[in-house]
Amino acid sequence: MNATLSPDGTSMSRRGGGHASHADAAAPSTIAQAAAQRFAALRRAEELAIELARHDISADVHELASGRAAVSIYYGLIAFTDGQEIRWTSPKPSYRGRPVSVAEATMAAAVDRLVRDHRILRSRPLTDVLGSELPLLADVLTADHVVPR
């Protein structure tokens, strides 16, 4: 069968006149990539929870509809991962007194800083933590929705 290229660069058969669209060809790959990212995010979040448990810190892992995963560590301390980076809002204030967004690429660095941030929050009265600008799990889940299992 002879094939030519359509104006958009996709293959078009000379017989039958039809051609495969980019969306049809890319769909399985895109779905596979999204599934792989979800799996990587969930795996990384579970690894983080295991590492925190070695420091006597319990954490819950939540798969989010966005493809990321959330690790709920303490009131106001929620880490997010896309499978690579681990991000959270630190309770240690900036020089202006505002919470600081933190990102770590390595598990060891993330665990070290999260353990310190956990200690900071545990030392504060819970009413101070709940009244702060730090994220709460319910807010995150409402905004991003947990993927039903």
Side-chain angles (χ1 to χ4, degrees):
M1 180 189 316
N2 295 330
T4 59
L5 294 180
S6 69
D8 67 355
T10 58
S11 177
M12 184 171 70
S13 169
R14 286 191 184 167
R15 282 188 255 159
H19 68 278
S21 71
H22 283 299
D24 292 341
S29 176
T30 303
I31 292 169
Q33 289 172 344
Q37 180 186 347
R38 282 184 118 75
F39 179 76
L42 198 54
R43 186 181 70 231
R44 184 98 162 154
E46 289 170 349
E47 290 171 3
L48 178 59
I50 290 167
E51 290 300 319
L52 290 169
R54 292 187 173 136
H55 294 273
D56 295 321
I57 299 172
S58 67
D60 298 322
V61 173
H62 303 272
E63 184 177 3
L64 302 175
S66 64
R68 298 181 309 156
V71 182
S72 176
I73 302 161
Y74 192 72
Y75 299 101
L77 188 56
I78 303 168
F80 298 91
T81 183
D82 59 1
Q84 296 177 3
E85 232 177 20
I86 299 170
R87 298 180 156 275
W88 69 96
T89 302
S90 176
K92 187 175 180 180
S94 69
Y95 65 93
R96 292 183 177 162
R98 310 264 310 177
V100 176
S101 182
V102 179
E104 291 290 352
T106 68
M107 184 64 67
V111 169
D112 184 50
R113 291 185 73 174
L114 283 164
V115 166
R116 283 187 276 162
D117 287 349
H118 181 262
R119 283 188 194 125
I120 290 170
L121 287 173
R122 294 281 310 224
S123 69
R124 294 182 183 170
L126 195 51
T127 54
D128 289 353
V129 174
L130 294 175
S132 71
E133 296 178 37
L134 296 172
L136 298 177
L137 182 59
D139 298 330
V140 170
L141 297 181
T142 300
D144 205 321
H145 305 291
V146 173
V147 174
R149 289 194 177 216

